[in-house]
Amino acid sequence: MKNSPAKKRFIILGLLPAFALYIIFMIYPTLTVFKESLYKTGGLSGKKTFVGLANFQKLFADPKFIKAFQNTVFLIVIVTIITMFLAVIFAAILTRGKFRGKNFFRIILYIPNILSIAVVASIFSSIYGMDSGLLNGLGRLLKPETWQNIAFTGQSGLVTYSIAFAMIWQAVGYYMVMYMSTMAQIPEHLYEAAKLDGAGRLRQFFSITLPLSWQTVRTTLTFYVISNINISFQLVKALTDGGPNGASMTLLNYQYLEAYNNSNFGYGLAIGVVVFLFSFGLSAIIYQATKRDIIQY
């Protein structure tokens, strides 16, 4: 039978292992974080005191937390917008463009994505270095008498922009490839019909390419916003360790500092709760803001 009890039991038994693993490794740890954020604890010391919402009240009066939150929002907004914009443009050019060396450019743009964060940090340390860095070296070469070395990762006004550039460089190729796979599936006859109607390349992009790729753009946008929080933590940890004087600190970097370096485990978990709620709420907002009717072709 199509809906026989035996079939229902088989489906339930098949789902039970995955459901159990989800509860053990996702739901339970998440609830534990929420619970432990209500305590003042020294981590592995075993001594903890219930303080209720005191950790959260302390957070929003903490200038270091506010600075870390501002840096996180800045990196999410700036890096995501520029990365998605460049990825869509490069994908459209390399999918629809007719020129030699397209495969070469695809490889060159994708290579940064296969590098680990440690390697990316090492590369940009060599680029941003004060004395032997590539950018300062070019400056001294072009203006040998007037150039003054710039501390790209040592000045509070420049460090977040330097980190943002490194994140964009590392991520563009990955999303470009995803968009290229979607754009390659768009029927050629739609572009031919648009040409007959007198539509130029720019009009074709906004009327055909982008609308028919929107579901992929929407999905990757939500995915990247969430992953951005984790990637920024790794890159900041490897490149600047939150310096100078906390100017490049992100939420996860501050959480790590408080929980493990300062042994303020409950306070660190309170930061983790804020990160969880912030990322969840931001994802929901993006999901609703980018909702469009699916175009069939």
Side-chain angles (χ1 to χ4, degrees):
M1 294 293 294
K2 192 172 185 179
N3 294 314
S4 65
K7 183 177 180 180
K8 291 181 180 179
R9 286 195 298 271
F10 176 78
I11 293 173
I12 291 172
L13 289 173
L15 291 175
L16 273 177
F19 185 65
L21 291 173
Y22 184 77
I23 291 176
I24 293 171
F25 293 105
M26 293 294 294
I27 301 298
Y28 177 73
T30 301
L31 294 177
T32 301
V33 168
F34 276 83
K35 175 189 172 184
E36 295 297 325
S37 68
L38 303 177
Y39 290 84
K40 182 178 180 181
T41 174
L44 299 178
S45 66
K47 297 179 181 179
K48 59 183 181 180
T49 306
F50 181 78
V51 295
L53 298 176
N55 284 328
F56 295 95
Q57 293 172 349
K58 181 182 176 183
L59 272 182
F60 295 101
D62 184 352
K64 293 182 180 179
F65 170 79
I66 294 172
K67 179 61 176 177
F69 186 82
Q70 290 172 342
N71 287 339
T72 301
V73 172
F74 172 82
L75 290 174
I76 287 175
V77 173
I78 298 300
V79 173
T80 301
I81 290 174
I82 297 178
T83 299
M84 297 298 110
F85 174 78
L86 292 177
V88 170
I89 297 300
F90 289 154
I93 292 173
L94 294 175
T95 302
R96 299 292 307 161
K98 296 180 180 179
F99 55 90
R100 292 183 179 180
K102 287 200 295 185
N103 289 334
F104 171 78
F105 288 108
R106 290 172 183 171
I107 294 170
I108 292 298
L109 289 170
Y110 186 75
I111 282 177
N113 178 69
I114 65 177
L115 302 177
S116 69
I117 294 296
V119 174
V120 173
S122 178
I123 290 172
F124 279 90
S125 292
S126 300
I127 293 174
Y128 294 146
M130 226 355 220
D131 298 320
S132 58
L134 178 62
L135 291 179
N136 281 313
L138 287 174
R140 290 192 298 269
L141 181 65
L142 297 174
K143 297 181 179 180
E145 296 180 357
T146 59
W147 182 263
Q148 296 182 351
N149 287 347
I150 300 173
F152 291 97
T153 57
Q155 293 184 21
S156 57
L158 289 176
V159 64
T160 49
Y161 293 98
S162 301
I163 292 168
F165 183 81
M167 291 175 65
I168 293 166
W169 178 81
Q170 191 266 344
V172 164
Y174 174 76
Y175 292 96
M176 178 199 72
V177 170
M178 295 185 69
Y179 298 151
M180 285 176 62
S181 65
T182 300
M183 293 176 185
Q185 298 175 25
I186 299 175
E188 185 65 28
H189 67 80
L190 295 178
Y191 292 103
E192 293 175 356
K195 287 180 183 178
L196 292 175
D197 289 337
R201 289 187 177 274
L202 193 61
R203 182 66 176 174
Q204 292 175 32
F205 174 79
F206 285 105
S207 298
I208 300 174
T209 306
L210 189 58
L212 294 180
S213 304
W214 186 251
Q215 287 303 310
T216 303
V217 173
R218 183 189 182 201
T219 302
T220 54
L221 181 62
T222 305
F223 172 76
Y224 186 61
V225 164
I226 296 172
S227 64
N228 181 298
I229 297 174
N230 184 50
I231 293 171
S232 62
F233 160 71
Q234 297 177 44
L235 189 59
V236 167
K237 185 66 179 173
L239 189 60
T240 66
D241 199 22
N245 298 320
S248 62
M249 191 80 70
T250 67
L251 285 176
L252 290 185
N253 292 107
Y254 191 48
Q255 177 189 4
Y256 183 90
L257 177 67
E258 288 295 320
Y260 298 104
N261 289 10
N262 297 339
S263 297
N264 197 352
F265 203 67
Y267 191 63
L269 290 180
I271 298 172
V273 170
V274 172
V275 172
F276 174 82
L277 295 176
F278 173 69
S279 59
F280 185 83
L282 188 59
S283 300
I285 292 171
I286 292 172
Y287 180 81
Q288 289 298 323
T290 57
K291 197 172 183 178
R292 301 286 188 277
D293 293 332
I294 299 176
I295 301 175
Q296 301 290 339
Y297 57 87

